Amino acid sequence: MADISLTIDGKKVATPAGTLLIEACKTAGIEVPSFCYYPNLSLCGACRMCVVKIEKMPKLQTACTTVVSEGMVVTTDSDEVKQARKGTVEILLGNHPLDCPVCDAGGECELQDMTFSYGAAESKFMEAKNHKDEQQWSPVVFFDRPRCILCFRCVRVCNEAMDVAALGVQNRGVSSIIAPNKEDHLECEECGMCIDICPVGALTSGAYRYHTRPWEMKHVGTTCTHCADGCKTTLGVRRADTGMEIVRGDNRDKSGTNGDFLCIKGRYAFDFAHHPDRLRRPLIRQNGKLTPATWEEAFALIGKTLASIRDQEGGAAIGVVGSTRTTNEEAYLLSKFARVVLKTNNVDHHRTADFPALAAALQGKTQKTASMADVFTAPAILLIGNDPTEQHPLLAWQIRNNVRLHRARLYLVNSHPIKLRKQAAGFLQIAAGSEAAFASFLAGKDDAASSADKDAWGALRDKLRREQNLVIIFGSEIRSAAVGDLVNFGLTIPGAKFVCLGDYANSRGAADMGLYPDLLPGYHPTAGNSEFHREWGEVPQMPGLDFPAMAAAAKAGKLKALYVAGSNPIGRMGVDPFVFSKSFVVVQDMFLTETAAMADVVLPAANAYEKQGTFTNTCGDLQLVKKAGEVTDTKNDFEMIVRVADAMGFDVRKLVPFGGGVRADMGQSRGAQSGEADRHAVWLEAHGLELKMSPFDPMAILDEIQRLVPGYGVSRMSLLAGNAQHTSLTNVGAGAAHKPELIAPANDSLFSSGTLGRYSNTLQSVIESREATPSEVAAD
Amino acid sequence: MTQSQNHLMATLVSHPDEVKVVSRRFGQGAADIDRYLALDGYKAVQKALAMEADAIINEVKNSGLRGRGGAGFSTGMKWSFVPKQSAKPKYVLCNGDESEPGTCKDRLIFEHDPHSVIEGVIIAALALGAQSGYIYIRGEYRYLSLIMQKAIGEAYARGFLGKNIFGSGRTVDIYWHGGAGAYEVGEESALMESLEGKRGLPRIKPPFPAVVGLWGGPTVINNAETLASVPHIILGGAEWYARLGTPKNGGTRLFCLSGNIAKPGVYELTMGYNLKRMVYEVGGGIPDGRKLKAVVPGGSSCPCLTADEIDVAMDFDSVAKAGSMLGSGGVVIIDDAQCIVKFALRTMKFYKHESCGWCIPCREGTDWLEKTLTRFHRGGGLRKDIDNIQYLSENMLGRTFCALGDAAAMPTIAFVKKFRKEFEDHLEGKPCPYEKEGAVEELPVMA
Amino acid sequence: MRFSEEFEARFAEMVPHYPTKRSVLVPTLLFAQDEVGYLSDEVIAEIAGRLDLTELEVRNVISYYSMLTTKPRGKFNVQVCTNICCLVRGGENILRHCEKKLGIGHKQTTQDGLFSLEEVECIGACSWAPAAQVNYDFHENLTAEKMDKVLDEYRTKATQ
Ligand SMILES: Cc1cc2nc3c(=O)[nH]c(=O)nc-3n(C[C@H](O)[C@H](O)[C@H](O)COP(=O)(O)O)c2cc1C
Ligand code: SF4
Ligand code: FES
């Protein structure tokens, strides 16, 4: 829009027409205080803190409701304005309990800051304050009414941005209160947005309240370890006897793609890390019982056993199962470890979406994948399958608010009337299982639609064909061939992009890093001659076994060892643990899962909140994972894998490019290319990076990932700065995963999160409280 | 719930100085459509049907008719703000929420001459090109709702409402709507919220109702008396109407005399009628040999005038010059037996109870002023409280979301400024010097 | 939840008067209260259902309007105005008199469930002060004696 020029405190300012004065002031570097104003929520004009003087206007005006106009002359710091703000803070403090010393928000309170800057030093009031006891609205939401300043942010974020509408305003005048939808308690998505957005300590978190003071915590902005959306969450950590304890999760750092958003898991479900069942000692099975051992004993035993199995039986006798919740570096390392150290392609992980099929379908195309940010700005969205409100809370938030704020057109195709239909411009309910048919119908195979469906399907297809820059999002209902159909259709729409929905924090990373029996990182087939064959040296050509095949092999006595890192295939795939009784099983995990319980060696693992590295969310956005918490006597999977390789007598320099000596012989070490220039050193040089000094430094593997994995060559600078970097599936290998039937969606809800969820007391307490008060109007 | 017919009709008064325009048909059974027709009813609307929309608006402009709801804005002007073309339907909304303490005039119009309101709404609709109008009547006025619903029914039956009114081919529908107890809902934007089935919170302005009103459509909101005056203007002509009053203050208005006065009642007097005469001649002066202490000239939100300030012409501009407001026509007379602190307290108690709670200065301000005044009246006052009361009120004035905050602040400031001595008389634990024998100390209960 | 035919007729007539369903909410709540005596959970659920609103939305609105109540009241709700015009003409004494006579205070109900008492804001009877409303009936230019008569009148009405 055309620029408007106005004068604020003598400064000439130019802003686009339609800008709110309060925003114009911000851009001019002039702070205008406000309680009720909040970007992207409906306007209130209720707190009157943002009043300013506008020439030719008799009264002071609220900057939050005034749209800039040409030639406007504004004063934000006159005595009149200052007095108005002072007066408002004064009167507000009149009824405010001023129990700051025991208030959760103390030190992080906008009312405190406001009082500090706009002064209400001496109190003019001697009347009794209106009191009301604190109420618990849900296991995680508490409400302290007297502290509430009625800025209505919570009500608006819940109604407008979350579309949950669990909060309202009741009574009037000074008796006005914020009220929960079930009179004395809340029944909602428990996202805690109301707590985050509360400028004071009126709404507080059941998981944090009275635990500590803000200034006693260190705040680490990292990536959520629950669903595959990759919200940035800020963890507040505090020293504890077991290392560093995570005491709070919130969204004070709003720099992530999730902006203001966090769901219940990202906000509260960090507590699995302190669960009493957490493994804190290596365990070795001795005469049938898992008994505590030292790390040295454990690594020695694993190294010796695996080496001898590999040397006598061959790598094909060893199976490896990776994780959807370890970092990219760990997944890549495991994939490489399996191939070059264990000499096996028997590699798998818990598949929840057909990423390889998307990669294959996009062969030779560039920039065809949408980032999580794109989902908030796209003019139109097609969502087939899945229920993001439950399974991809951030994605749902992006879609909802794109529709609300940018009038995006949302087209839904689903076998259930999912909640997002309220935002949908078109909702097509189809029979469960006919998603694939719909995809091929889109691709032009008209007979894929039954005569009953033809018209409805056709009408939607016509609408879609008229769209541009459409973002096409699909859940696990769409697999293998159907993905191809969908992509073929999409490619006929100018600017269309795709999102494939996997379920876990690093499901996408696990796929990109090649935790498949037939795929190396970047979807390169094991059979062939990719960079990975060249760089890694000997890589078995024959595709390996997927997990069910490993189980079968074990049963037949052919699989002598199973190496599981951060996964619970036994629990997940319902395989009888007995089939592995003759195999040597190593498990790295936080808890004694069904798989760990039958292992010969169990290594206590650190979780994603306790390590450094990167995650790739389901859209392909690469984000930094930072170390926040720490539980002594656990190790991260990365270090454990390197230690095992070392214990097997393998030169770890060939696994992790590190150390001074590397430069010299690295060239030769690159098998086929021996003698040739050291590509890694050249790449590092070109990117102004140093060779890492420790074999346990995941950044060393990140160097290799960025150098070799298609799409991952993003700006390291920006990545380290904490920004999401989109890795588009570009120049990927030709490999397509087989066996779509192996895809097993997690079907997690807002309140469940696989194994982590089971060990999160917060999530459990919410589930219990909902069972206690059954809902007539479910999540919808 | 029971609704017995006796116990409803409000008693009528009259005085030779009265110029009966709006009250012409009072007491003549005009609620019945045939009586109304016999008394020139529905002639104006037929005349209006033959006029250009702009001609109607100009007629109303030139008549000098100003809003009887309180703000006194030129009605013709307000109508002219409504865009001629509009994608969304336009609406006429009659404000019959009558809740300003001291005001009981719309009640008489609805009771004695409901068709005049209907006729006014139709004419407004014709002038604006609106096809529907709503008549909002406060919940407490249940019996008036019934009268109004009956009247609307009769008008439909005669073809005065609905499609093709008076065979003109024009469509005008009018519906009754009821409130449920809320003063703030009288504020025009809150009124629209209430009509839309929501809490009565005011809306952010701009946009003004004339541009974005009911359900997003351009809407004209007028007080019932304002609209009831319109047919008379159309029939009698702008000039005649204008000449009844003073410059820029056309016509007559209903003044509700109440309080310590011999002949309280609703009198229709010309705009600019002298307040002193109103009190001493029309109202028969102060009874029981008492003396006049103060007059609240236009409903509880207007600053009071002391006994020696009341020689003023009762039109919007003169009263404004005198430092108060003509407001809604509620003239409250206070004699020298009344305690101003108590009066100020009761006034504030009202605004505290009615504040919608949306904005901080009004919500918290009215609460603290009421608390302070209560303590003060009980004799627990400190000298600094007197300044505090004024300081707090001045912090509210002009700073609140809607005019309710001003309505609470303005009278309070006047009471403190003009009767500081009475406040001082309550200091140092002295009991209220005005508490009569046996009178019970008033405790702020409500809420 | 069943309402009277009169209620249903009025409801059916009103809904088409507005472009949005919820617009009938405020008057409808008052009519429902007149029938049931107060806005019970059942009534709230019913009306919310009819107007496609959540019960929360309905409660938000109810709690805003002072005539609406979610608690049962006596058969006759005695509402005494003590606002300025009534104040200066002894409105408070009328209120105190009712308190003594009925033995109840603001927003309380007599044992026999016959009367409730309420101190209310201006009811638009300023020129006929002091005044009170019993349910929807106005009683004006009141004195203690007159108030007694009024109350007795209703008591006998109830017994007939
Ligand atoms: C707090 C408040 C209460 C009001 N109450 C009423 C009312 O009860 N009746 C009324 O006609 N106007 C009332 N008004 C004035 C209306 O906002 C509006 O100005 C008026 O209805 C316009 O009609 P008019 O131009 O014919 O006066 C009130 C205003 C405020 C700020
Ligand atoms: S939406 Fe997903 S990533 Fe975001 S906080 Fe919730 S679980 Fe974590
Ligand atoms: S921010 Fe403008 S009034 Fe609250």
Side-chain angles (χ1 to χ4, degrees), chain A residues 426-444:
Chain A
F427 172 58
L428 178 62
Q429 187 157 6
I430 63 175
S434 55
E435 292 84 0
F438 181 76
S440 59
F441 177 83
L442 284 184

Side-chain angles (χ1 to χ4, degrees), chain A residues 372-433:
Chain A
M372 190 56 85
D374 294 335
V375 177
F376 177 61
T377 53
I381 297 168
L382 167 63
L383 172 65
I384 304 180
N386 201 275
D387 182 357
T389 309
E390 291 285 328
Q391 302 169 24
H392 291 274
L394 170 59
L395 187 87
W397 162 277
Q398 297 288 78
I399 293 174
R400 240 181 358 248
N401 290 291
N402 188 5
V403 171
R404 178 173 68 96
L405 300 167
H406 312 135
R407 297 201 173 63
R409 291 167 302 283
L410 169 67
Y411 304 100
L412 285 185
V413 178
N414 204 297
S415 56
H416 297 85
I418 59 173
K419 187 182 167 198
L420 275 173
R421 78 185 181 282
K422 280 162 102 190
Q423 279 73 27
F427 172 58
L428 178 62
Q429 187 157 6
I430 63 175

Side-chain angles (χ1 to χ4, degrees), chain C:
Chain C
M1 173 92 227
R2 314 223 342 81
F3 293 111
S4 70
E5 277 166 19
E6 185 198 2
F7 175 97
E8 294 301 353
R10 208 192 277 102
F11 182 80
E13 188 212 338
M14 282 188 80
V15 171
H17 293 175
Y18 311 85
T20 63
K21 252 191 185 177
R22 76 173 292 165
S23 299
V24 299
L25 183 57
V26 175
T28 300
L29 285 168
L30 195 51
F31 288 131
Q33 175 171 298
D34 292 347
E35 279 197 26
V36 182
Y38 70 107
L39 296 166
S40 62
D41 294 354
E42 202 186 4
V43 173
I44 292 170
E46 172 68 21
I47 293 178
R50 289 190 188 198
L51 304 181
D52 305 330
L53 297 170
T54 63
E55 292 180 27
L56 177 66
E57 286 172 293
V58 174
R59 290 183 190 278
N60 296 345
V61 170
I62 291 172
S63 60
Y64 178 90
Y65 294 91
S66 47
M67 288 175 74
L68 301 177
T69 177
T70 52
K71 296 185 189 55
R73 276 185 192 145
K75 189 167 192 295
F76 303 111
N77 188 29
V78 182
Q79 306 148 74
V80 182
C81 174
T82 59
N83 210 308
I84 51 177
C85 310
C86 291
L87 173 78
V88 298
R89 290 178 83 94
E92 284 184 351
N93 299 338
I94 302 295
L95 176 65
R96 302 297 166 238
H97 183 77
C98 292
E99 285 172 350
K100 278 206 221 70
K101 171 116 179 168
L102 299 172
I104 51 174
H106 177 63
K107 289 201 172 166
Q108 294 178 344
T109 303
T110 53
Q111 290 299 337
D112 58 9
L114 214 49
F115 292 99
S116 294
L117 184 60
E118 206 176 323
E119 178 184 15
V120 295
E121 297 297 358
C122 180
I123 52 177
C126 315
S127 293
W128 310 285
Q133 256 188 307
V134 179
N135 295 347
Y136 291 108
D137 301 352
F138 282 86
H139 300 277
E140 299 166 331
N141 303 307
L142 290 170
T143 58
E145 300 65 38
K146 231 170 134 184
M147 195 69 227
D148 285 340
K149 274 211 220 65
V150 170
L151 295 177
D152 296 339
E153 223 171 81
Y154 286 97
R155 190 169 271 111
T156 43
K157 190 184 286 171
T159 52
Q160 294 159 4

Side-chain angles (χ1 to χ4, degrees), chain B residues 57-384:
Chain B
I57 294 176
N58 286 327
E59 197 70 1
V60 176
K61 249 192 213 154
N62 302 335
S63 74
L65 173 63
R66 290 170 69 166
R68 304 300 193 227
F73 193 84
S74 157
T75 306
M77 194 80 87
K78 188 186 272 187
W79 291 11
S80 65
F81 293 153
V82 174
K84 293 266 165 291
Q85 304 305 337
S86 163
K88 296 205 160 148
K90 306 179 196 176
Y91 300 97
V92 177
L93 174 48
C94 169
N95 190 341
D97 189 57
E98 186 158 73
S99 312
E100 173 90 354
T103 320
C104 49
K105 64 196 179 59
D106 298 342
R107 181 178 161 190
L108 291 186
I109 300 175
F110 290 132
E111 181 174 316
H112 294 274
D113 203 4
H115 286 284
S116 66
V117 179
I118 295 172
E119 196 172 358
V121 173
I122 300 176
I123 296 171
L126 295 174
L128 306 165
Q131 295 204 327
S132 3
Y134 294 88
I135 298 174
Y136 187 114
I137 300 180
R138 70 180 293 190
E140 293 84 347
Y141 286 175
R142 168 60 57 84
Y143 79 104
L144 298 176
S145 303
L146 301 176
I147 294 173
M148 182 53 72
Q149 286 168 46
K150 174 170 164 294
I152 292 174
E154 290 172 339
Y156 268 103
R158 303 292 173 101
F160 302 169
L161 284 176
K163 302 213 170 348
N164 188 24
I165 60 170
F166 300 94
S168 65
R170 305 284 295 270
T171 298
V172 178
D173 286 303
I174 294 182
Y175 312 108
W176 158 86
H177 193 91
Y183 166 69
E184 170 63 2
V185 160
E187 194 281 336
E188 56 185 10
S189 61
L191 184 69
M192 296 190 289
E193 287 287 295
S194 179
L195 184 63
E196 291 181 15
K198 306 178 192 146
R199 295 164 55 82
L201 303 177
R203 292 180 183 175
I204 292 168
K205 296 179 227 171
F208 291 93
V211 184
V212 180
L214 280 172
W215 305 289
T219 305
V220 151
I221 298 154
N222 277 120
N223 167 260
E225 183 185 356
T226 313
L227 288 162
S229 314
V230 169
H232 301 289
I233 293 169
I234 297 299
L235 272 189
E239 229 174 287
W240 157 77
Y241 188 82
R243 246 190 281 102
L244 293 175
T246 54
K248 298 213 222 62
N249 290 265
T252 58
R253 88 174 290 179
L254 298 173
F255 290 99
C256 322
L257 270 57
S258 69
N260 308 118
I261 191 156
K263 296 199 234 113
V266 177
Y267 302 86
E268 182 166 17
L269 300 161
T270 55
M271 290 293 272
Y273 192 90
N274 180 283
L275 176 56
K276 200 165 190 168
R277 282 186 65 188
M278 206 183 287
V279 173
Y280 289 101
E281 290 171 33
V282 179
I286 318 300
D288 319 324
R290 286 278 171 197
K291 283 200 180 36
L292 177 69
K293 178 182 277 183
V295 177
V296 176
S300 61
S301 52
C302 306
C304 65
L305 298 171
T306 60
D308 42 26
E309 289 174 328
I310 66 168
D311 191 356
V312 53
M314 290 291 272
D315 62 48
F316 288 101
D317 306 316
S318 313
V319 180
K321 220 180 270 105
S324 185
M325 302 183 303
L326 190 62
S328 59
V331 182
V332 188
I333 287 87
I334 307 169
D335 72 19
D336 59 359
Q338 307 303 326
C339 170
I340 286 294
V341 176
K342 176 80 166 266
F343 195 93
L345 165 58
R346 187 60 186 84
T347 306
M348 189 52 64
K349 183 175 164 188
F350 168 73
Y351 289 107
K352 169 185 179 172
H353 185 252
E354 299 301 327
S355 166
C356 77
W358 190 246
C359 73
I360 293 170
C362 175
R363 179 181 72 235
E364 304 293 332
T366 52
D367 181 43
W368 282 85
L369 283 165
E370 186 262 359
K371 283 177 177 165
T372 310
L373 283 163
T374 304
R375 172 169 52 81
F376 202 97
H377 183 251
R378 292 222 192 95
L382 308 173
R383 196 161 290 278
K384 75 163 190 175

Side-chain angles (χ1 to χ4, degrees), chain A residues 568-759:
Chain A
N568 180 18
I570 300 297
R572 268 286 161 199
M573 312 208 179
V575 175
D576 171 5
F578 182 76
V579 306
F580 290 100
S581 55
K582 286 192 254 47
S583 319
F584 175 72
V585 179
V586 178
V587 173
Q588 307 176 348
D589 208 308
M590 268 192 295
F591 301 103
L592 202 67
T593 62
E594 291 87 340
T595 310
M598 62 116 196
D600 298 282
V601 184
V602 180
L603 303 176
N607 62 60
Y609 290 152
E610 299 162 352
K611 62 175 75 151
Q612 183 193 22
T614 63
F615 272 168
T616 308
N617 75 2
T618 198
C619 299
D621 304 328
L622 183 66
Q623 298 188 92
L624 213 56
V625 168
K626 286 208 207 131
K627 179 170 177 161
E630 180 176 80
V631 172
T632 48
D633 308 323
T634 65
K635 290 188 188 300
N636 60 57
D637 300 270
F638 193 96
E639 177 179 346
M640 291 191 275
I641 295 165
V642 174
R643 292 286 297 272
V644 169
D646 179 55
M648 290 176 72
F650 187 83
D651 173 3
V652 296
R653 281 199 178 81
K654 295 178 183 171
L655 198 57
V656 184
F658 80 100
V662 177
R663 263 170 187 288
D665 63 358
M666 223 180 179
Q668 290 78 27
S669 72
R670 294 268 176 295
Q673 279 68 39
S674 54
E676 194 182 303
D678 181 342
R679 286 195 204 72
H680 192 73
V682 172
W683 186 87
L684 286 174
E685 197 91 26
H687 290 74
L689 296 169
E690 298 271 300
L691 193 55
K692 305 300 177 289
M693 294 316 294
S694 156
F696 304 134
D697 184 351
M699 289 297 125
I701 282 293
L702 178 60
D703 292 340
E704 188 167 315
I705 290 173
Q706 288 209 270
R707 180 165 64 90
L708 297 180
V709 179
Y712 277 74
V714 300
S715 156
R716 174 74 64 98
M717 186 60 210
S718 176
L719 181 68
L720 294 178
N723 302 324
Q725 295 287 293
H726 188 63
T727 68
S728 71
L729 290 169
T730 301
N731 309 326
V732 291
H738 307 98
K739 307 245 188 107
E741 67 275 13
L742 292 186
I743 293 169
N747 293 325
D748 274 321
S749 76
L750 263 177
F751 307 122
S752 70
S753 181
T755 308
L756 296 190
R758 289 212 303 280
Y759 289 95

Side-chain angles (χ1 to χ4, degrees), chain A residues 144-397:
Chain A
D144 193 321
R145 173 181 168 184
R147 290 178 188 160
C148 173
I149 61 169
L150 292 164
C151 65
F152 311 113
R153 283 187 196 177
C154 54
V155 178
R156 286 174 291 154
V157 82
C158 185
N159 281 263
E160 300 166 17
M162 287 304 298
D163 187 30
V164 166
L167 293 174
V169 186
Q170 291 183 357
N171 305 338
R172 70 185 187 209
V174 74
S175 343
S176 303
I177 47 162
I178 304 302
N181 57 351
K182 297 291 160 187
E183 289 186 77
D184 63 346
H185 70 277
L186 269 172
E187 186 175 281
C188 65
E189 295 178 8
E190 306 284 359
C191 65
M193 292 294 297
C194 50
I195 297 171
D196 232 351
I197 210 167
C198 179
V200 294
L203 283 158
T204 55
S205 150
Y208 168 70
R209 54 199 293 281
Y210 303 137
H211 272 48
T212 184
R213 310 313 317 267
W215 53 85
E216 285 170 341
M217 288 181 286
K218 178 160 160 283
H219 303 282
V220 182
T222 184
T223 305
C224 175
T225 186
H226 290 283
C227 89
D229 290 356
C231 290
K232 194 180 242 190
T233 175
T234 306
L235 300 175
V237 295
R238 186 180 61 174
R239 210 163 247 78
D241 54 359
T242 57
M244 289 299 260
E245 181 194 14
I246 303 172
V247 281
R248 181 173 83 175
D250 73 3
N251 197 7
R252 67 176 1 222
D253 169 355
K254 303 201 186 298
S255 65
T257 21
N258 49 314
D260 285 307
F261 180 74
L262 267 188
C263 82
I264 176 171
K265 297 181 220 174
R267 190 182 307 282
Y268 307 110
F270 51 78
D271 54 347
F272 61 83
H274 315 300
H275 195 286
D277 296 357
R278 181 87 187 261
L279 297 174
R280 305 262 315 272
R281 297 284 304 278
L283 303 170
I284 294 179
R285 189 170 300 278
Q286 282 166 352
N287 37 51
K289 270 180 85 278
L290 282 171
T291 41
T294 68
W295 285 100
E296 301 313 322
E297 292 163 345
F299 286 129
L301 173 62
I302 300 168
K304 187 167 88 343
T305 318
L306 290 180
S308 68
I309 292 174
R310 176 196 59 198
D311 300 341
Q312 274 130 51
E313 316 279 336
I318 306 175
V320 174
V321 179
S323 174
T324 51
R325 270 174 173 153
T326 55
T327 63
N328 287 321
E329 294 69 24
E330 291 166 331
Y332 181 98
L333 182 70
L334 185 67
S335 182
K336 186 176 181 182
F337 168 76
R339 269 83 190 201
V340 307
V341 181
L342 300 179
K343 305 226 171 291
T344 180
N345 276 333
N346 302 340
V347 178
D348 206 347
H349 72 286
H350 176 197
R351 314 173 187 191
T352 57
D354 205 338
F355 294 112
L358 180 61
L362 290 178
Q363 272 280 315
K365 305 281 179 303
T366 55
Q367 310 304 334
K368 283 292 167 195
T369 53
S371 68
M372 190 56 85
D374 294 335
V375 177
F376 177 61
T377 53
I381 297 168
L382 167 63
L383 172 65
I384 304 180
N386 201 275
D387 182 357
T389 309
E390 291 285 328
Q391 302 169 24
H392 291 274
L394 170 59
L395 187 87
W397 162 277

